Amino acid sequence: MIATPKRGAVAWLAIAALSAAVAADGYGYQRERMVVQQIQERGIKNPRLLLAMREVPRHLFVPSELQGMAYMDQPLPIGYDATISQPYIVALMTELLEPSPGHKALEIGTGSGYQAAVLSKLVKRVYSVEIVPQLAQSARENLKRLGYWNVTVRQGDGYKGWPEEAPFDRIILTAAPPRIPDALIDQLARGGRLIAPEGATPFSQELVLIEKAPDGSITRTRAGGVRFVPMKKG
Ligand code: SAH
């Protein structure tokens, strides 16, 4: 008899909390639907990642005229020939990266800063390199404004990585090089993981996972076809 009202109270509290979240951010419902239908139902399981994708306001990382499309199952243009990746691809790559709270991570291709924001909730620090100065600047400002204090963005050529901060436990490329640069594999810590789209043309790209064992040996695993913005020569 005592348990019933308690359960009811918990249910009402949950509804109140959900309503508050939806009211505070008009996109809460769309974001929840994105996580369930596009991400969980396609097999992504990492609970910390699912929580991060429930929390990061993707609509604040797209141009204002496209905000209404921010939670759709597709990439969107963000200017300068760049795109914010499809939510599922962000989730898939982040899950393959197996991020942990103590990790230091490097991202190549900051773009909107959305992937960096998601990753920043899962690791200790994110360093992100973007070649287009205007994108580097706007992502840096947006991440700061939204409180992602553990992300550092720098304008530069991703082929070179960020040698001053190496080694990195995790590296993610969100632009596709014809071949994963040796400089980036060199900057991967032992026991580290690197995920990247690789391929000479947008029609021949594949996700590749590189694992560096504690003894420094490298294994490469293919993880399916994708289509990313090609990585520009610096
Ligand atoms: N991760 C981004 C999506 C990036 S699209 C997001 O969450 O929004 C790919 C980005 O890589 C583009 O912004 C492009 O300008 C950048 N890029 C392309 N070549 C690069 C290079 N050589 N070094 C660093 N960034 C590069």
Side-chain angles (χ1 to χ4, degrees):
M1 287 309 280
I2 295 167
T4 312
K6 262 199 190 158
R7 260 210 302 276
V10 168
W12 279 111
L13 263 176
I15 290 168
L18 186 63
S19 319
V22 170
D25 163 359
Y27 288 94
Y29 174 70
Q30 288 185 42
R31 192 159 57 247
E32 179 61 25
R33 214 170 51 174
M34 169 192 88
V35 171
V36 173
Q37 295 181 351
Q38 300 173 31
I39 297 173
Q40 278 183 295
E41 286 180 8
R42 288 188 183 132
I44 302 294
K45 293 199 169 64
N46 181 329
R48 294 176 65 240
L49 167 61
L50 294 171
L51 183 62
M53 295 199 65
R54 285 193 156 92
E55 287 176 349
V56 178
R58 183 172 160 94
H59 62 284
L60 300 180
F61 290 86
V62 303
S64 51
E65 64 277 14
L66 297 181
Q67 272 194 4
M69 297 175 76
Y71 295 96
M72 291 184 176
D73 193 12
Q74 61 180 76
L76 291 171
I78 54 170
Y80 308 96
D81 295 332
T83 55
I84 177 172
S85 307
Q86 182 189 1
Y88 171 65
I89 295 294
V90 173
L92 177 65
M93 291 177 77
T94 311
E95 183 161 80
L96 289 168
L97 215 49
E98 297 182 359
S100 285
H103 284 158
K104 186 174 182 179
L106 172 68
E107 179 192 31
I108 305 300
T110 318
S112 68
Y114 176 72
Q115 170 76 67
V118 170
L119 197 54
S120 80
K121 292 189 161 283
L122 305 169
V123 299
K124 189 168 178 193
R125 252 208 117 75
V126 178
Y127 294 84
S128 187
V129 183
E130 169 57 53
I131 202 163
V132 176
Q134 294 91 334
L135 288 174
Q137 180 64 15
S138 58
R140 187 184 296 121
E141 284 169 9
N142 201 31
L143 287 160
K144 190 173 170 198
R145 186 172 64 87
L146 296 171
Y148 297 97
W149 56 269
N150 60 340
V151 182
T152 311
V153 177
R154 124 166 155 185
Q155 189 274 323
D157 176 12
Y159 279 94
K160 300 195 175 85
W162 198 318
E164 302 87 336
E165 289 294 342
F168 297 96
D169 304 298
R170 297 293 185 259
I171 300 181
I172 179 169
L173 279 70
T174 61
R179 205 180 136 262
I180 297 170
D182 287 340
L184 297 181
I185 299 174
D186 289 346
Q187 290 174 34
L188 187 62
R190 289 178 177 218
R193 291 167 85 88
L194 177 155
I195 183 91
E198 186 185 65
T201 73
F203 306 100
S204 63
Q205 293 174 10
E206 206 170 13
L207 276 184
V208 173
L209 173 69
I210 289 185
E211 291 166 275
K212 193 183 270 189
D215 68 1
S217 60
I218 300 289
T219 47
R220 282 172 60 101
T221 314
R222 295 162 181 274
V226 280
R227 198 183 293 184
F228 270 79
V229 169
M231 199 163 150
K232 292 176 187 147
K233 281 276 166 222

